[in-house]
Amino acid sequence: MLDLNFFFNPTSVAVIGASDSVGSVGYEIIKNMLDTFKGNVYAVNLKQKPIFGKTCYKSILDIPSEVDMAIIAVPSPFVKDVLEDCGRKKVKGVVIISGGFSEIGEKAREDELLEIAKKHGIRIIGPNCIGIYDNYSGVNTIFLSKEKISYPPKGKISFLSQSGAFAGLILDWTSKERIGMSKVVSYGNKIDVNEADLINYLDEDENTKVICLYIEGIRRGLKFMEAAKKVSKRTPILALKSGTTKSGAKAASSHTGSLAGEDIIYEAAFKQSHVIRAKNFEELFDMAKVLEKQIYPKSDGIAVLTNAGGLGVMTADALEMNNLRLANLSEDTINQLKKQFPERVIVSNPIDLVGDADKERYEIGLDALLKDEDVGLIIVILLLQVPTLSFESIDMLLSTNQKAEKPIIVLCTGGEIVSKQIKKLEEGGLAVYPTPERTARAAYALINHAKTRGDIPGQSKENTGICKI
Amino acid sequence: MLDLNFFFNPTSVAVIGASDSVGSVGYEIIKNMLDTFKGNVYAVNLKQKPIFGKTCYKSILDIPSEVDMAIIAVPSPFVKDVLEDCGRKKVKGVVIISGGFSEIGEKAREDELLEIAKKHGIRIIGPNCIGIYDNYSGVNTIFLSKEKISYPPKGKISFLSQSGAFAGLILDWTSKERIGMSKVVSYGNKIDVNEADLINYLDEDENTKVICLYIEGIRRGLKFMEAAKKVSKRTPILALKSGTTKSGAKAASSHTGSLAGEDIIYEAAFKQSHVIRAKNFEELFDMAKVLEKQIYPKSDGIAVLTNAGGLGVMTADALEMNNLRLANLSEDTINQLKKQFPERVIVSNPIDLVGDADKERYEIGLDALLKDEDVGLIIVILLLQVPTLSFESIDMLLSTNQKAEKPIIVLCTGGEIVSKQIKKLEEGGLAVYPTPERTARAAYALINHAKTRGDIPGQSKENTGICKI
C-alpha cells in the first residue's frame, strides 16, 4: 500500500520560493499555507528576508526542525539543487509547481529530478502543476488570485486533474454549486506520482467517498486499470476524458503533450475497470454529488413522482435513454394509491399527482414507493411554483429522506424564490437537479455503481476482453 | 395570413370567472391583468360583486364597451354558455383556461365549443391551458402563485408549450437565467389555435426573433411542417419533443393524451422543415439565447481563443461531436500572431494563449480572428480566475463585440465573483455558457440556422424524402 499521506496531512511544510511580492506564485502559496494549514509552515527564499513577519530561511537545510513536505516554486534551472537539499533534509514528498520541463521539450531536466528523488526516496507531485488543495488539513498550493476565487464547502468528493487551470476552475465553480469537496490534485507532468497512485491513496482516505478524474491522456494504462478495477468496487470512480475527437486530440497534444489515443480503447478500459464516464464536467459533478450521499439502491427499478406531467414525460424519456428501467409498481401499491388519491391522479409510473397536488399527496406517494419492492430509487419532481404545493413539502421531503433506506433524487428548478428552497434541500442532504436529463444521469451513476458493488443482483457482466492502453 | 394579434395586443379584455378569493385561478388572472395590462380590463362574474373596487359584470353582454378578447375561467359545464355570450358580444378571441374536456374523455364538450366558435368567428386558445404571457403588452393569464414565481426580462424569444405547468416553470426559470422572453403560450387541448397558427403569427411579430417549442405530440403534421418550413427560413425554430422513448410515449399519453408516434418520423419532419431539435430544455434555451442576438456567421469555420488549455481541448471535442468545423487559420493570421505573441503561446486552433494571458493577448487574438476569412464564429474561453487576466478584459470583449461583424460566444464559469462578471457580459449583449458542450451546442444552432438562411454557402442539402406525420 502506497502512503502519500505526507502530501495531504504533513506535520510541517516548507515553501521554497516563498515571496512577499503581491500576486506572485510564491506569495499566493505561502499566504494560503499560513492562512489555512494548521501545522508548521517554513518560508524558504534565497533573499532570506522575513515574509509576513516570519523568519525566512536561505535553504531548507537551515530549518531547525523536521520537514515532511516541501512545495517548490523556483525557476526550473534551480529546482534540481533545491530537490537535492530536500533529500538531505529527509523530506518525504515535494510538490513541484515550477514549469519549464518536458512540456516545453526539456525532458532531460525531468529525468534528473527523478534520479535525485529516487536516490533520496522522495515522492514528487508535478512538475508544472498547481498542486494540492485539501479542504480538511488546509494544505493549499493553488496560486490563483484570492480576490477572484472562492473555495467549496467540505465534502467527500476528490478531484484529480491533469490540467491545472481546470482544477482551479472546478474549485471556484463547486463553491457556487455548493458541491462538497475533499481533495483536489493537479499533478501536471506526473513524472512520479500519477493517477493510479492517487486513486489507491484516495480509496484509503476517510474524507473521500467519490473520486473524479479529468484526463487528457494516460501513459501507464495497465497500472491505471489495475488500480481503478480494485478501487471502484468500493469507491466510485468517475472520469471525464477529453481529446476524444480528432480536433480534441490535436489540441490535447499541444496542451499537455498527451497522446490522447483511440477513444474506443479508453472506453473499453473504463468499462473493464468500472470507471463511470462523464460526457462533460457538469455531468461529472452531477453524478459525483449523488454518489457522495452513499445510499445505494437494491433494485434497478426507478419510480418517478411528479406534479408536472411534462417533466414526468421528459424524465421517463431520459431514463430510458440511459438504459434505465422504470419500476413495475406492485398491484398492492397501485390499489393503495388509487384508494387514497382523487381520480384525476394518474397512478402509473411516472405517478402524475397532477397540478393541484399538495404536500400530503407527495407524502402518501413516497410512503408507498418506499415500501414497494421493485422500487430501488425514487425521483421526486417538484414544481414548487404551483399554488397548492406549500414549501412545507420541503421539510417533509427532508425528514422522509433521513429515514429512507432508498436513495431519493430531486428534480426542481426555477427562479430566485424556488432557488432558496433548493438550497435548503441540498443543505439537508438531498441531491437536486435542474433538468430531467441531469437527474437521469445521476440515477444512472447510482444504479451503475450499485451494480459494481454487487448491491443490485443480476450484475452487468464484466467485459472480459483484453484491452491494452 | 392569420391574424391572432387580438390575443396578444387586445384593446380590451374581459376576465370571465374573475374572483377576489385569494389563490383561486380567477383571482390570479384578474390580478395579473390589472397589474400589467395597459388596455381596458373588465371583470365578469355571476355574483356581480366589485372586485378590487372595480365594477363586476354579471355577463360579458353587460359590458358597455367593445371587448376584443376574453379569458374564460369558469367550470367546464358553463363554458359553452359563456362562449355563446362572447359570440354575441363580437369578441375576436377567447383563451379558455378551464379544464374538464377531452383530457378527461369529454370530447363532445369540446366539439360543442368549436361549433359555437365557428358560428361566431371566434378563435380559441385552449381549453385546459394556462394561456398567454406577453412581456410587451402585459397580457398575462398565467395563474401561478405570485409569491413563488418571478418573470423574465424583456427579450425576443417566444415559447410555445403543450404543457401548461412547464410553460410556467420556464417563465420562472428564465427570470433567474436572465434569458429575455417575449411571448409564452400554453395552448392545452388546442381545439382551434395550434402550433402552426402560432408559428405563422410569431414570424410576423416584431418582438419575436426566435421561436421555441415544447411538444408532446402533433396532430396535424403536414400543417405544422408547412408553417415551420416557411417560417424557419427567416425566424429560427427550435423544438424540444418529448415522448421519444417507449416509457416517455406512455407517460405522454397519460399526460396530454398525445400519441407521441415514432420518433424517427418527428426527426425527419424537423429536418425537412429546418426545425433545430434540442435534447432538453437547458439546451433549448442555450441555443435560443444566442440566436436571439441575430448576427449570423458567413463561414462555418469556428475559431477558439482560450487561456485554459483543458477547456480548449474539451471545446474542440464538443465542436467535432456536433459536426462542426474548426476554421483553418490563414498563414497570414498565423504569422501575424506568432510575431506578436510570446513563444509559449500555441498559435493553432484552438489558440492557447496559456495561463499568463492578459487582456492585450486576447485583444490581439480577437483582432486577427475577426479579419480571417475562414473564421465565421469565434468562441472566447475566459478563465477569469487567473491573476493576469484582469476584469478589464470584460469591457474590451464587450466593446469588440459591439463592433464585430461576426458572432462571438463566450465560455466562462466560476463562483460568485466571476458570476458577477458573467452577468456584465450577458447584460452587454454576449451569450455566455458554463461548459464546452453547451457552448458548442449554441455554435451548432448559429451555424445551422445560417445555413438555412443561406448565409453560409454550400448549404446542407434539404432532405427531400416524403415524410408524413
Side-chain angles (χ1 to χ4, degrees):
Chain A
M1 180 57 224
L2 284 167
D3 185 15
L4 303 178
N5 205 38
F6 43 79
F7 280 116
F8 302 96
N9 291 292
T11 308
S12 54
V13 173
V15 179
I16 306 176
S19 161
D20 55 2
S21 158
V22 179
S24 73
V25 170
Y27 168 86
E28 299 288 359
I29 296 175
I30 188 80
K31 202 165 172 306
N32 276 341
M33 292 302 289
L34 290 172
D35 281 355
T36 58
F37 179 60
K38 286 146 208 129
N40 297 319
V41 179
Y42 303 102
V44 178
N45 193 314
L46 265 181
K47 291 180 201 152
Q48 217 182 346
K49 284 184 298 184
I51 291 177
F52 303 124
K54 267 187 82 80
T55 309
C56 186
Y57 301 93
K58 201 171 174 181
S59 156
I60 193 169
L61 293 166
D62 301 338
I63 297 173
S65 337
E66 280 190 8
V67 175
D68 281 350
M69 196 262 273
I71 302 160
I72 300 179
V74 300
S76 54
F78 307 114
V79 173
K80 182 183 141 187
D81 293 343
V82 163
L83 186 62
E84 190 69 68
D85 288 350
C86 289
R88 273 182 250 145
K89 184 69 186 170
K90 306 268 180 247
V91 164
K92 293 170 192 148
V94 299
V95 177
I96 305 177
I97 304 291
S98 322
F101 296 89
S102 65
E103 83 280 6
I104 59 158
E106 299 280 357
K107 177 82 173 63
R109 232 183 232 161
E110 262 177 23
D111 293 343
E112 280 179 337
L113 297 188
L114 206 52
E115 211 173 291
I116 297 167
K118 274 193 181 144
K119 187 174 70 186
H120 294 287
I122 305 179
R123 300 302 306 266
I124 296 177
I125 289 182
N128 183 33
C129 68
I130 65 171
I132 295 174
Y133 174 82
D134 189 311
N135 218 346
Y136 291 89
S137 72
V139 171
N140 181 3
T141 72
I142 312 291
F143 52 85
L144 298 180
S145 167
K146 287 302 149 306
E147 281 156 30
K148 291 177 171 180
I149 183 176
S150 305
Y151 288 99
K154 278 193 181 68
K156 304 285 183 185
I157 301 171
S158 286
F159 177 53
L160 308 177
S161 175
Q162 195 162 356
S163 166
F166 188 51
L169 177 66
I170 288 300
L171 280 170
D172 193 29
W173 177 76
T174 50
S175 76
K176 198 189 62 180
E177 299 288 319
R178 294 188 297 276
I179 295 172
M181 299 297 287
S182 175
K183 295 172 168 61
V184 171
V185 188
S186 130
Y187 46 78
N189 297 6
K190 50 179 175 180
I191 59 169
D192 175 24
V193 173
N194 62 18
E195 301 91 353
D197 299 322
L198 289 163
I199 287 172
N200 277 320
Y201 170 71
L202 291 174
D203 186 40
E204 302 283 332
D205 174 31
E206 60 171 6
N207 291 326
T208 297
K209 298 285 179 212
V210 186
I211 300 171
C212 292
L213 308 172
Y214 170 70
I215 293 166
E216 293 188 357
I218 290 174
R219 256 179 252 141
R220 302 184 55 197
L222 284 176
K223 195 181 162 197
F224 168 81
M225 278 182 68
E226 214 170 49
K229 215 166 182 169
K230 195 194 80 193
V231 169
S232 63
K233 294 243 160 62
R234 185 166 72 168
T235 308
I237 303 176
L238 307 170
L240 172 58
K241 159 79 177 69
S242 73
T244 57
T245 65
K246 265 191 196 168
S247 316
K250 201 176 140 227
S253 125
S254 320
H255 179 222
T256 51
S258 289
L259 287 173
E262 284 295 322
D263 192 61
I264 196 168
I265 298 177
Y266 282 95
E267 186 73 28
F270 289 149
K271 256 201 191 128
Q272 279 183 47
S273 44
H274 302 294
V275 170
I276 302 175
R277 190 166 185 184
K279 287 193 289 291
N280 54 62
F281 78 79
E282 218 169 47
E283 186 175 298
L284 186 70
F285 288 93
D286 276 349
M287 296 196 290
K289 81 176 185 189
V290 74
L291 287 166
E292 192 205 8
K293 315 291 174 206
Q294 300 281 305
I295 303 182
Y296 291 107
K298 303 258 181 306
S299 154
D300 63 352
I302 299 170
V304 180
L305 196 61
T306 182
N307 64 338
L311 289 174
V313 176
M314 290 182 239
T315 302
D317 273 336
L319 291 172
E320 190 171 320
M321 282 173 189
N322 278 287
N323 291 318
L324 297 172
R325 177 176 76 82
L326 283 169
N328 297 309
L329 303 185
S330 74
E331 261 184 62
D332 200 41
T333 304
I334 290 173
N335 291 336
Q336 220 185 84
L337 289 177
K338 282 200 171 160
K339 228 184 284 168
Q340 293 178 85
F341 285 149
E343 216 178 317
R344 61 188 174 282
V345 167
I346 296 157
V347 181
S348 176
N349 187 9
I351 298 176
D352 186 353
L353 300 172
V354 302
D356 65 346
D358 55 9
K359 189 190 80 165
E360 280 67 37
R361 231 179 267 170
Y362 273 94
E363 217 164 357
I364 293 166
L366 277 169
D367 187 55
L369 293 175
L370 284 167
K371 285 178 193 147
D372 190 300
E373 232 180 61
D374 194 44
V375 174
L377 190 162
I378 302 169
I379 293 176
V380 176
I381 302 177
L382 291 178
L383 187 76
L384 281 176
Q385 287 82 355
V386 299
T388 50
L389 192 61
S390 70
F391 289 164
E392 286 164 23
S393 55
I394 301 295
D395 299 304
M396 181 277 292
L397 196 54
L398 284 172
S399 77
T400 303
N401 184 51
Q402 270 175 347
K403 291 169 293 181
E405 287 168 0
K406 297 175 182 179
I408 296 174
I409 312 181
V410 182
L411 164 52
C412 186
T413 187
E416 290 306 330
I417 303 159
V418 165
S419 295
K420 278 183 203 144
Q421 300 302 317
I422 291 174
K423 194 175 168 197
K424 198 172 161 186
L425 282 170
E426 289 186 324
E427 287 174 352
L430 277 157
V432 186
Y433 300 90
T435 70
E437 293 66 33
R438 293 173 66 178
T439 311
R441 201 61 190 162
Y444 167 83
L446 264 184
I447 300 271
N448 191 309
H449 187 61
K451 282 181 181 171
T452 302
R453 285 164 52 97
D455 286 348
I456 293 182
Q459 183 182 347
S460 65
K461 264 185 230 156
E462 191 174 304
N463 184 341
T464 48
I466 289 165
C467 161
K468 287 181 188 165
I469 59 170
Chain B
M1 182 56 220
L2 286 167
D3 184 14
L4 301 178
N5 205 36
F6 42 80
F7 279 115
F8 302 95
N9 291 293
T11 309
S12 54
V13 173
V15 180
I16 306 176
S19 162
D20 56 3
S21 158
V22 178
S24 73
V25 170
Y27 168 87
E28 298 288 0
I29 295 175
I30 189 80
K31 203 165 170 309
N32 276 342
M33 292 301 290
L34 291 171
D35 280 357
T36 59
F37 179 61
K38 287 144 207 134
N40 298 317
V41 179
Y42 303 103
V44 178
N45 192 312
L46 265 182
K47 290 181 201 151
Q48 216 181 347
K49 282 183 298 184
I51 290 177
F52 303 123
K54 266 187 83 81
T55 309
C56 185
Y57 300 93
K58 199 169 175 182
S59 156
I60 193 170
L61 292 167
D62 300 337
I63 297 173
S65 336
E66 280 189 10
V67 175
D68 280 351
M69 195 261 274
I71 302 160
I72 300 179
V74 300
S76 55
F78 306 114
V79 173
K80 182 182 139 187
D81 291 343
V82 162
L83 187 63
E84 189 69 64
D85 287 350
C86 288
R88 272 181 251 147
K89 185 70 186 171
K90 307 267 180 246
V91 164
K92 291 171 194 150
V94 299
V95 177
I96 305 178
I97 304 293
S98 322
F101 296 89
S102 66
E103 83 279 7
I104 59 156
E106 299 279 357
K107 177 84 173 62
R109 232 182 232 162
E110 263 177 23
D111 294 341
E112 279 178 339
L113 297 187
L114 206 53
E115 210 172 294
I116 298 168
K118 275 196 180 142
K119 189 173 74 187
H120 294 288
I122 306 178
R123 300 302 307 265
I124 296 176
I125 289 181
N128 183 35
C129 69
I130 64 170
I132 296 173
Y133 175 82
D134 189 310
N135 218 347
Y136 292 87
S137 71
V139 171
N140 182 2
T141 73
I142 311 291
F143 53 86
L144 298 181
S145 169
K146 287 303 148 307
E147 282 155 30
K148 291 176 171 179
I149 182 176
S150 305
Y151 287 99
K154 278 192 180 68
K156 304 285 183 186
I157 301 171
S158 287
F159 177 53
L160 309 176
S161 175
Q162 195 162 357
S163 167
F166 188 51
L169 177 68
I170 288 301
L171 280 169
D172 192 29
W173 178 76
T174 49
S175 76
K176 197 189 60 180
E177 300 288 318
R178 295 187 296 274
I179 296 173
M181 300 296 287
S182 176
K183 295 172 169 61
V184 171
V185 188
S186 130
Y187 46 79
N189 297 7
K190 51 179 173 179
I191 59 170
D192 176 25
V193 174
N194 62 19
E195 301 91 354
D197 300 321
L198 290 164
I199 286 171
N200 278 320
Y201 170 70
L202 291 175
D203 186 39
E204 301 284 331
D205 174 32
E206 62 172 4
N207 290 324
T208 298
K209 298 285 179 211
V210 187
I211 301 171
C212 291
L213 308 172
Y214 170 70
I215 293 166
E216 292 190 357
I218 290 174
R219 258 179 250 140
R220 303 184 56 197
L222 284 174
K223 195 180 161 194
F224 169 81
M225 280 184 67
E226 215 171 49
K229 213 166 184 170
K230 194 193 81 194
V231 169
S232 63
K233 295 241 158 64
R234 185 166 70 170
T235 309
I237 303 176
L238 307 169
L240 171 57
K241 159 79 176 69
S242 73
T244 56
T245 64
K246 265 192 197 168
S247 314
K250 202 176 139 225
S253 126
S254 319
H255 180 222
T256 52
S258 289
L259 287 172
E262 284 294 324
D263 193 60
I264 197 168
I265 298 178
Y266 281 96
E267 186 72 29
F270 289 148
K271 256 201 191 129
Q272 278 185 46
S273 43
H274 302 296
V275 171
I276 302 174
R277 193 167 183 182
K279 285 191 291 289
N280 54 63
F281 78 79
E282 219 168 46
E283 186 175 298
L284 186 71
F285 288 93
D286 277 348
M287 296 196 290
K289 81 177 187 189
V290 76
L291 287 166
E292 191 205 9
K293 315 290 176 208
Q294 301 281 304
I295 302 181
Y296 292 107
K298 302 257 182 303
S299 152
D300 64 352
I302 299 171
V304 180
L305 196 61
T306 183
N307 65 337
L311 289 174
V313 177
M314 291 182 238
T315 302
D317 273 335
L319 291 173
E320 190 172 320
M321 282 175 192
N322 278 288
N323 291 316
L324 298 172
R325 179 175 75 84
L326 283 169
N328 298 310
L329 302 184
S330 74
E331 263 185 60
D332 199 42
T333 304
I334 289 173
N335 291 337
Q336 218 183 85
L337 289 177
K338 281 198 171 161
K339 229 183 287 167
Q340 293 178 84
F341 285 148
E343 215 178 318
R344 62 188 174 280
V345 167
I346 296 156
V347 182
S348 175
N349 188 10
I351 299 175
D352 186 354
L353 300 172
V354 303
D356 65 345
D358 54 8
K359 190 190 80 165
E360 280 65 38
R361 231 179 267 170
Y362 273 94
E363 217 164 356
I364 293 166
L366 276 169
D367 188 56
L369 294 175
L370 283 167
K371 284 178 194 146
D372 190 299
E373 234 181 61
D374 194 43
V375 174
L377 190 160
I378 303 168
I379 293 175
V380 176
I381 302 177
L382 291 179
L383 188 75
L384 281 176
Q385 287 82 357
V386 300
T388 50
L389 192 60
S390 71
F391 290 163
E392 286 164 24
S393 56
I394 302 294
D395 298 307
M396 180 277 292
L397 196 54
L398 283 172
S399 77
T400 304
N401 184 52
Q402 269 176 349
K403 291 171 291 180
E405 286 167 2
K406 295 176 184 180
I408 297 174
I409 312 182
V410 181
L411 165 52
C412 185
T413 188
E416 290 305 331
I417 303 159
V418 165
S419 295
K420 275 182 206 145
Q421 300 303 317
I422 291 175
K423 194 177 169 195
K424 197 173 162 186
L425 283 170
E426 288 186 324
E427 287 172 352
L430 277 157
V432 186
Y433 300 91
T435 70
E437 292 67 32
R438 292 173 67 177
T439 311
R441 202 60 190 164
Y444 168 83
L446 266 183
I447 300 271
N448 190 309
H449 187 61
K451 283 182 180 170
T452 300
R453 285 164 52 97
D455 286 347
I456 294 181
Q459 182 180 348
S460 65
K461 264 186 230 156
E462 191 173 304
N463 183 342
T464 49
I466 289 166
C467 161
K468 286 180 188 167
I469 59 168

